């Protein structure tokens, strides 16, 4: 019996990626429909695992936006590679506890091996870099703020920020990730400390506005704690001017953090690497493996040039972790977590299987698909509004500009049709909403791009005729 279940699971792992291309990318479902189907699980009477696996697979296949679909052109959720699924499965199997090196030496060293290579790829010296896997980019960004506070206000860990009587300021563009809002609350610097900097028409930090901001804040008594640059913003894929940000941060004595959660992977590509010049001058970097490195969630990474600050932010002593088993870099003393999954195992297997140059090719291919999508959209009469070498295309249409259609309605219509999935986005600075298509799957090919463009055209025609009908009715 149990053999049959494993066979069923393995068969699903094998067949789902092969079948996904022919399945709808998403399906609109009412919560009530789903809850009706779940009513059979009363969680009182035991259910045989075969039946549960069958039921769960059916539910997961039916009710989801399938982010592993080659025509999911959505947020930065990747199609996952087989090696990553194997890695996550083995992590669950052995369940190593990575809080301390001494408990999981093999898993720990496999992680360090990968992290050292990635630190090197960023232009950091692996020997002097503190690096760790995190649950994701949000935790990595939190780590950066905590380390920056620990370095700037060594006493704040004891006294709290109130005790240091400073008004720390964090400079980021209005296109930076919203995780910083929660981080400002969690760390106690408060959201008033977030000093939004304007973006240029390319949606990247306006460096002149940053300098003006800092100068006027200094007069108000703020202390520039952190300058955040985003390498690949969520809305438009913009890359902030990293060398200029590094220079400004240095000039004003602030920590320079680069949030490269998605875009960081571009350092693995020879062609895209120059776009991230300046990342090597950061004090810390956020880079998610569960985005462009195509491994399952959650796998973020945090790199920091100041191990002493990281230690000050996170190091603790406990009676049940005796000193003789302690390693200076025990993750429980260098990160926010205690119990810790072997996050890096799936990353190690993925990278080792393909090799870093192989990853570079995968990433370049996706960037090329982005270029081709731009060209196809332009040919079909759409206007590209963003400017990035990364495969994220923001676009609009003359009819949207004339307010005859909305980007939101068009995206919803494409998604309801089920053959592709895209989103709409309001770029930074209160500009009008546009459509957003990101190549997130290493499986996306030219036929998928053609399909997206024809779905957009069909949605545009449908929406235009629906709008005409509405207008005719409205006009009597
Ligand atoms: C995704 C993302 C984050 C948040 O990362 P999670 O892994 O979702 O926690 C932060 N910053 C940027 C630029 C991102 O793209």
């Amino acid at each position: 019996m149990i053999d049959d279940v494993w066979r069923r699971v393995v068969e699903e792992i094998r067949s789902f990626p092969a079948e996904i291309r022919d399945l709808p990318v998403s399906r609109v479902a009412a919560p009530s429909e789903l809850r009706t189907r779940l009513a059979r699980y009363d969680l009182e009477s035991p259910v045989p695992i075969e039946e549960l696996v069958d039921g769960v697979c059916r539910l997961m296949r039916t009710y989801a936006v399938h982010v592993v679909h080659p025509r999911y052109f959505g947020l930065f959720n990747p199609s996952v590679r087989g090696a990553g699924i194997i890695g996550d499965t083995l992590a669950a199997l052995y369940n190593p506890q990575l809080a301390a090196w001494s408990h999981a030496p093999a898993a720990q060293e496999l992680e360090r091996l990968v992290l050292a290579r990635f630190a090197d790829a960023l232009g950091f010296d692996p020997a002097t870099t503190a690096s760790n896997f995190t649950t994701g980019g949000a935790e990595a960004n939190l780590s950066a703020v905590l380390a920056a506070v620990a370095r700037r206000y060594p006493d704040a860990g004891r006294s709290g920020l109130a005790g240091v009587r400073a008004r720390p300021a964090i400079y980021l563009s209005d296109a930076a990730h919203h995780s910083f809002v929660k981080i400002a609350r969690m760390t106690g610097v408060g959201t008033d400390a977030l000093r939004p900097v304007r973006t240029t028409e390319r949606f990247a930090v306006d460096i002149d506005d940053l300098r003006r901001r800092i100068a006027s804040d200094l007069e108000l008594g703020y202390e520039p704690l952190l300058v955040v640059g985003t390498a690949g913003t969520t809305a438009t894929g913009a890359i902030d001017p990293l060398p200029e940000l590094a220079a400004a941060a240095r000039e004003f004595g602030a920590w320079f953090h680069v949030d490269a959660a998605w875009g960081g992977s571009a350092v693995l590509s020879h062609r895209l690497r120059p776009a991230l010049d300046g990342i090597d001058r950061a004090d810390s970097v956020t880079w998610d493996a569960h985005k462009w490195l195509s491994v399952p969630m959650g796998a973020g990474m945090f790199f920091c040039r100041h191990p002493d600050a990281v230690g000050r932010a996170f190091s603790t002593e406990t009676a049940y972790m005796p000193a003789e088993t302690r390693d200076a870099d025990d993750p429980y003393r260098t990160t926010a977590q205690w119990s810790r999954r072997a996050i890096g195992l799936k990353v190690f297997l993925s990278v080792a299987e393909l090799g870093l140059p192989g990853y570079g090719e995968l990433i370049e291919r996706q960037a090329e698909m982005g270029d081709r999508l731009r060209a196809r959209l332009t040919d079909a009469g759409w206007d590209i509004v963003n400017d990035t070498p990364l495969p994220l295309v923001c676009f609009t249409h003359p009819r949207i500009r004339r307010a005859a259609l909305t980007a939101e309605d068009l995206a919803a219509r494409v998604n309801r049709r089920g053959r592709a999935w895209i989103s709409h986005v309001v770029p930074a600075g209160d500009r009008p909403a546009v459509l957003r298509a990101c190549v997130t799957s290493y499986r996306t090919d030219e036929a998928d791009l053609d399909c997206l463009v024809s779905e957009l055209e069909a949605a545009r025609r449908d929406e235009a005729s629906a709008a005409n009908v509405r207008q005719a009715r409205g006009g009597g």
Side-chain angles (χ1 to χ4, degrees):
M1 259 326 223
I2 197 73
D3 281 350
D4 288 345
V5 184
W6 290 118
R7 256 194 297 279
R8 167 79 172 88
V9 172
V10 171
E11 177 54 24
E12 181 68 4
I13 292 174
R14 203 196 55 74
S15 65
F16 183 65
E19 293 166 15
I20 183 73
R21 182 167 250 122
D22 299 321
L23 298 177
V25 188
S26 69
R27 177 174 183 286
V28 182
S32 58
E33 179 185 343
L34 202 50
R35 283 170 201 158
T36 307
R37 291 194 61 171
L38 297 193
R40 55 200 274 227
Y41 301 118
D42 64 8
L43 308 188
E44 294 286 339
S45 35
V47 183
I49 188 72
E50 307 67 41
E51 202 182 310
L52 288 170
V53 167
D54 237 39
V56 167
C57 288
R58 241 186 280 267
L59 286 168
M60 300 294 259
R61 274 187 176 240
T62 311
Y63 299 100
V65 175
H66 286 302
V67 301
V68 300
H69 199 293
R71 290 188 302 278
Y72 171 76
F73 294 97
L75 304 173
F76 302 136
N77 308 301
S79 287
V80 288
R81 300 184 59 252
I85 300 173
I86 294 171
D88 240 5
T89 308
L90 295 179
L93 172 67
Y94 297 112
N95 200 28
Q97 167 59 289
L98 273 74
W101 190 95
S102 58
H103 243 60
Q108 200 77 248
E109 288 298 316
L110 288 170
E111 288 201 342
R112 289 183 186 179
L113 191 64
V114 190
L115 289 167
R117 284 305 296 271
F118 284 155
D120 179 58
L122 288 172
F124 281 41
D125 174 6
T128 56
T129 299
S131 54
N132 260 300
F133 283 99
T134 61
T135 48
E139 186 195 330
N141 284 343
L142 170 65
S143 306
V145 176
L146 287 170
V149 167
R151 183 150 187 259
R152 180 65 173 263
Y153 310 115
D155 221 27
R158 185 188 54 78
S159 67
L161 275 174
V164 302
R165 296 207 192 96
R167 282 180 90 185
I170 298 176
Y171 296 89
L172 31 63
S173 88
D174 42 8
H177 195 261
H178 59 82
S179 53
F180 284 100
V181 174
K182 293 188 206 178
I183 290 166
R185 295 187 196 131
M186 286 192 281
T187 54
V189 301
T191 51
D192 280 351
L194 301 179
R195 316 299 288 165
V197 180
R198 266 211 292 275
T199 46
T200 62
E201 73 282 358
R202 299 178 61 242
F203 308 108
V205 160
D206 180 338
I207 199 80
D208 296 330
D209 191 56
L210 171 73
R211 287 175 170 280
R212 271 195 301 272
R213 264 267 167 186
I214 296 181
S216 70
D217 279 357
L218 286 172
E219 286 180 16
L220 295 172
Y222 280 99
E223 290 185 7
L225 170 68
L226 199 74
V227 171
V228 178
T230 309
T233 60
T234 315
T236 70
I239 300 170
D240 287 336
L242 304 180
E244 287 83 354
L245 289 178
R250 175 152 312 168
E251 183 181 328
F252 294 103
W255 181 290
F256 178 39
H257 176 68
V258 177
D259 180 357
W262 173 59
S265 297
V267 300
L268 301 179
S269 143
H270 290 301
R271 187 163 76 75
L272 298 173
R273 177 77 177 85
L276 267 62
D277 275 353
I279 200 168
D280 53 310
R281 292 166 65 184
D283 293 288
S284 56
V285 172
T286 288
W287 177 4
D288 273 353
H290 67 205
K291 286 183 173 164
W292 211 348
L293 293 180
S294 305
V295 306
M297 290 178 255
M301 299 185 283
F302 176 62
F303 300 89
C304 179
R305 264 190 217 298
H306 310 288
D308 46 338
V310 170
R312 199 175 295 148
F314 295 113
S315 186
T316 55
E317 313 276 322
T318 66
Y320 47 86
M321 293 304 294
E324 61 275 15
T325 65
R326 211 179 281 154
D327 181 273
D329 298 326
D330 276 339
Y332 83 96
R333 284 148 55 84
T334 55
T335 71
Q337 302 178 39
W338 168 235
S339 290
R340 163 177 283 272
R341 182 184 173 82
I343 298 168
L345 191 53
K346 57 195 166 197
V347 186
F348 166 78
L349 286 179
S350 302
V351 171
E353 184 206 24
L354 204 57
L356 284 174
Y359 255 104
E361 284 168 28
L362 211 67
I363 281 154
E364 273 174 32
R365 204 186 96 92
Q366 277 172 260
E368 194 185 310
M369 288 298 138
D371 294 341
R372 291 185 185 193
L373 178 58
R374 268 184 275 273
R376 278 168 163 79
L377 285 167
T378 306
D379 288 348
W382 300 80
D383 300 327
I384 310 299
V385 302
N386 67 330
D387 181 11
T388 175
L390 309 179
L392 196 170
V393 190
C394 290
F395 55 103
T396 188
H397 193 274
R399 288 185 59 88
I400 297 179
R401 288 214 156 109
R402 291 201 303 272
L405 302 172
T406 72
E408 188 174 0
D409 288 344
L410 272 183
R413 207 170 265 276
V414 168
N415 298 345
R416 269 201 307 277
R417 292 168 63 92
R419 298 189 64 212
W421 198 99
I422 58 165
S423 57
H424 75 285
V425 68
V426 179
D430 277 341
R431 278 167 274 209
V434 295
L435 290 152
R436 175 191 181 283
C438 183
V439 178
T440 63
S441 172
Y442 61 89
R443 292 197 192 96
T444 302
D445 63 20
E446 301 214 37
D448 297 315
L449 304 180
D450 289 336
C451 177
L452 173 62
V453 176
S454 73
E455 287 297 295
L456 280 161
E457 288 294 305
R460 192 170 65 75
R461 281 192 300 269
D462 290 354
E463 191 60 30
S465 50
N468 284 341
V469 169
R470 281 197 298 272
Q471 205 168 31
R473 285 207 188 117

